[in-house]
């Protein structure tokens, strides 16, 4: 807070949002460092209760705290650094970079007037959402569940409508707010019914009461306590959470909201909002599914039904999409189907698959959105005569909206096109990429537990969803590009000056550069490179990641 307040005093308004974002990145990385140091404490008696049992710290909560912090820091890079830079090879030696400064007309080249650099509240709201997400991961009380989910959700509503000049973003945020409020009603109803039945708000107390009543199914216990009531309460609670993660049949808001809000905001909304809820559901499913065996119907069957519908809806409806963010929304719904399948099986293998799938999906999803944003920034000096593109709304905040806008992009920037293709292949589950191993683990765990029909549906829908991923790759690599360099700028010489890094700032020499010297900034290129290499080269060093998922799964089953 002190750093954020100081940044108010030392910068211009335009640079304030950048400084806020950078300080927020430092805050998140420092928080992940603290979580890593305290990881050893969570081994004590299978975790530690905090604030009188409102929250608890275990291996899983600490690992996912670190994961949320790191992913949020990666997303904050999009607003913490300018997207383009000038790179002249002969003036880029380490010696010249440190001793000299390159001055040029930078407002247009760097995109300094971009909408994301005018909004100073963005990193602050994002920090509140991260706080809500980390609380939700660690929650162990009905009261803290609702407070955490609302802290996270309110921040997301604000984030969606943050671009005040965008009519689309405002309508998308309003849709999100109204339907998010409805889902919160289900969560509140479920928690109130649980409290009314068990007389305790603490989840540990609820688990104990249900276990005792099932073990000693006596007349005395059943006269004041009914276990099937817990099933119904948890079913209503799960409806609210399935709404929040946009699982079918509660998915209808997701494609509209993804498509309407700016791409930089979509990156965060699509990833962080789901991680925390799914980790909370993991613990809820594990501790309640085994205690309600005396009834034919268990509330976790609703997750299986939602998994089946998500797999089908996400794959089939995604085939008809021509807008890229709507397609990615249905892709997300399909992946949620796999994650819920792993969650519902609830064996050591399936929980290992669940943890691994959630992590790889989050990384791949961030990579896809960062690449789409980078493609938008890389096309700024190109023109396209297609009338359809010229009539797109909100082009400044979401430059790439249609899949057809990627036509022939390989011939403009081969490296970026290849990175997007690798990530989409991973989504489709093509070996030996990261996504293949995740899907294989989920399907293997489902088959081991006898869920043959759902495993078959998972395989079929994977094949179907590959069609719309491959369509994007086909348009990028095999269609002719519709872009050409703006003829006004084609042969223009741009000028800059190299000055010494000292008090006098005396000019050393003039530099002439062309349009092809304007490239994507290091923050974008390094992020995309690292994430793509993780997806591509996972097979060469899989042991650490798989071992971690296995240890976390074992820690749940053998506390």
């Amino acid at each position: 807070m002190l750093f954020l307040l100081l940044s108010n005093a030392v910068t211009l308004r335009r640079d304030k949002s950048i400084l806020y974002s950078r300080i927020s990145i430092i805050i998140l990385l420092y928080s992940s460092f603290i979580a890593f140091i305290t990881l050893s404490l969570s081994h004590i008696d299978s975790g530690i209760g905090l604030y009188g049992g409102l929250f608890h710290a275990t291996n899983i909560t600490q690992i996912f705290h670190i994961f949320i912090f790191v992913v949020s820091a990666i997303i904050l890079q999009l607003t913490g650094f300018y997207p383009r830079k000038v790179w002249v090879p002969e003036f880029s030696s380490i010696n010249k970079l440190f001793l000299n400064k390159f001055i040029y007309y930078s407002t247009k080249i760097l995109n300094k007037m971009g909408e994301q650099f005018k909004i100073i509240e963005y990193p602050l709201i994002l920090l509140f959402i991260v706080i809500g997400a980390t609380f939700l991961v660690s929650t162990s009380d009905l009261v803290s569940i609702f407070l955490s989910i609302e802290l996270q959700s309110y921040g997301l509503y604000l984030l969606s409508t943050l671009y005040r000049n965008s009519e689309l973003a405002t309508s998308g945020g309003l849709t999100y707010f109204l339907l998010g409020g409805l889902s919160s009603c289900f969560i509140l109803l479920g928690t109130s019914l649980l409290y009314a039945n068990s007389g305790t708000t603490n989840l540990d107390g609820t688990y104990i009461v249900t276990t005792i009543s099932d073990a000693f199914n006596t007349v005395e216990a059943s006269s004041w306590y009914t276990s099937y009531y817990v099933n119904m309460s948890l079913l209503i609670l799960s409806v609210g959470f399935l709404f929040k993660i946009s699982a079918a049949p509660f998915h209808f808001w997701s494609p509209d909201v993804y498509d309407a809000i700016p791409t930089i905001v979509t990156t965060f909304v699509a990833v962080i909002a789901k991680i925390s809820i799914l980790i909370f559901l993991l613990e809820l499913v594990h501790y309640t599914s085994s205690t309600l065996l005396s009834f034919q119907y268990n509330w976790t069957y609703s997750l299986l039904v939602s998994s089946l519908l998500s797999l089908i809806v996400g794959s089939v409806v995604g085939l008809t999409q021509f807008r890229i963010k709507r397609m990615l929304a249905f892709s997300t719904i399909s992946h949620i189907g796999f994650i819920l399948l792993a969650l519902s099986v609830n064996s050591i293998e399936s929980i290992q698959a669940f943890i691994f799938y959630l992590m790889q999906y989050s990384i791949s999803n961030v990579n896809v959105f960062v690449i789409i944003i980078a493609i938008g920034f890389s096309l700024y000096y190109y023109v396209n005569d297609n009338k359809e593109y010229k009539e797109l709304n909100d082009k400044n905040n979401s430059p790439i909206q249609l899949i057809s806008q990627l036509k022939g992009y390989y011939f403009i920037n081969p490296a970026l096109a290849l990175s997007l293709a690798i990530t989409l292949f991973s989504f489709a589950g093509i070996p030996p990429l990261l996504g293949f191993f995740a899907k294989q683990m989920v399907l293997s765990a489902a088959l081991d537990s006898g869920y043959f029909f759902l495993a078959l549906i998972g395989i079929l829908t994977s094949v179907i969803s590959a069609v719309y991923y491959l369509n994007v790759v086909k348009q990028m690599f095999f269609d002719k590009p519709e872009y050409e360099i703006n003829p006004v700028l084609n042969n223009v010489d741009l000028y800059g000056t190299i000055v010494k890094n000292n008090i006098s700032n005396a000019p050393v020499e003039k530099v002439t550069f062309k349009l092809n010297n304007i490239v994507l900034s290091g923050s974008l290129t390094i992020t995309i490179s690292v994430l793509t290499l993780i997806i591509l080269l996972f097979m060469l060093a899989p042991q650490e990641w798989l071992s971690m998922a296995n240890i976390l799964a074992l820690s749940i089953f053998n506390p």
Side-chain angles (χ1 to χ4, degrees), residues 113-176:
M113 302 307 289
E115 187 74 19
Q116 70 270 30
F117 300 123
K118 296 178 185 176
I119 300 171
I120 60 172
E121 303 95 331
Y122 175 80
L124 303 176
I125 294 171
L126 196 137
L127 285 177
F128 278 111
I129 298 169
V130 170
I131 291 168
T134 50
F135 280 178
L136 186 61
V137 166
S138 301
T139 189
S140 64
D141 194 280
L142 296 176
V143 176
S144 56
I145 288 171
F146 192 70
L147 290 175
S148 305
I149 193 72
E150 287 310 287
L151 178 58
Q152 176 180 302
S153 298
Y154 285 153
L156 290 169
Y157 306 149
L158 287 171
L159 209 59
S160 302
T161 54
L162 204 57
Y163 287 64
R164 303 175 190 88
N165 301 327
S166 168
E167 190 179 328
L168 275 176
T170 307
S171 66
L174 194 58
T175 306
Y176 192 15

Side-chain angles (χ1 to χ4, degrees), residues 154-427:
Y154 285 153
L156 290 169
Y157 306 149
L158 287 171
L159 209 59
S160 302
T161 54
L162 204 57
Y163 287 64
R164 303 175 190 88
N165 301 327
S166 168
E167 190 179 328
L168 275 176
T170 307
S171 66
L174 194 58
T175 306
Y176 192 15
F177 169 64
L178 292 171
L179 292 170
L182 178 64
S183 62
S184 295
C185 292
F186 280 104
I187 294 170
L188 199 56
L189 178 61
T191 53
S192 59
L193 289 173
L194 272 175
Y195 173 67
N197 187 47
S198 61
T200 177
T201 59
N202 195 290
L203 288 178
D204 289 341
T206 309
Y207 304 149
I208 291 166
V209 171
T210 50
T211 309
I212 291 171
S213 72
D214 283 348
F216 309 101
N217 201 5
T218 59
V219 178
E220 291 80 20
S222 60
S223 61
W224 63 271
Y225 179 84
T226 46
S227 236
Y228 69 84
Y229 200 83
V230 174
N231 253 332
M232 297 308 297
S233 306
L234 290 170
L235 180 62
I236 294 167
L237 193 69
S238 69
V239 168
F241 283 116
L242 292 174
F243 241 117
K244 298 276 188 193
I245 59 172
S246 69
F250 312 108
H251 65 283
F252 44 82
W253 61 269
S254 170
D256 295 330
V257 172
Y258 276 34
D259 196 38
I261 59 181
T263 310
I264 284 176
V265 177
T266 314
T267 310
F268 191 79
V269 172
V271 179
I272 301 298
K274 294 176 175 53
I275 296 173
S276 55
I277 293 172
L278 286 164
I279 295 301
F280 167 71
L281 282 175
L282 166 64
E283 301 201 3
L284 196 64
V285 167
H286 177 70
Y287 288 115
T288 56
S289 59
S290 58
T291 60
L292 302 169
L293 297 175
S294 54
F295 297 95
Q296 291 182 341
Y297 175 75
N298 193 331
W299 76 277
T300 52
Y301 293 161
S302 64
L303 299 181
L304 282 172
V305 173
S306 179
S307 167
L308 175 64
L309 292 172
S310 297
L311 286 168
I312 294 168
V313 168
S315 301
V316 175
V317 184
L319 294 172
T320 63
Q321 304 305 314
F322 60 91
R323 296 181 70 86
I324 193 157
K325 284 198 286 182
R326 288 183 73 87
M327 185 207 82
L328 289 172
F330 283 105
S331 158
T332 297
I333 294 164
S334 173
H335 288 296
I336 289 290
F338 274 99
I339 291 170
L340 288 177
L341 174 58
L343 190 62
S344 308
V345 173
N346 195 34
S347 63
I348 291 178
E349 292 81 7
S350 76
I351 299 305
Q352 182 183 356
F354 167 86
I355 293 166
F356 182 74
Y357 200 109
L358 184 55
M359 285 188 163
Q360 73 81 24
Y361 157 75
S362 302
I363 287 170
S364 303
N365 218 18
V366 168
N367 200 30
V368 160
F369 280 111
V370 173
I371 290 170
I372 290 169
I373 290 165
I375 289 172
F377 287 134
S378 70
L379 292 173
Y380 90 108
Y381 55 79
Y382 286 83
V383 289
N384 195 318
D385 293 329
N386 192 316
K387 188 181 175 185
E388 189 182 9
Y389 302 162
K390 289 179 179 177
E391 292 175 353
L392 288 173
N393 293 321
D394 216 18
K395 281 190 292 190
N396 291 335
N397 298 327
S398 302
I400 305 295
Q401 296 181 29
L402 306 175
I403 294 172
S404 58
Q405 283 179 274
L406 298 173
K407 272 184 184 174
Y409 187 74
Y410 172 74
F411 301 101
I412 295 170
N413 191 328
L416 215 48
L418 202 59
S419 294
L420 183 55
I422 288 168
T423 313
L424 291 175
F425 283 146
S426 177
F427 273 158

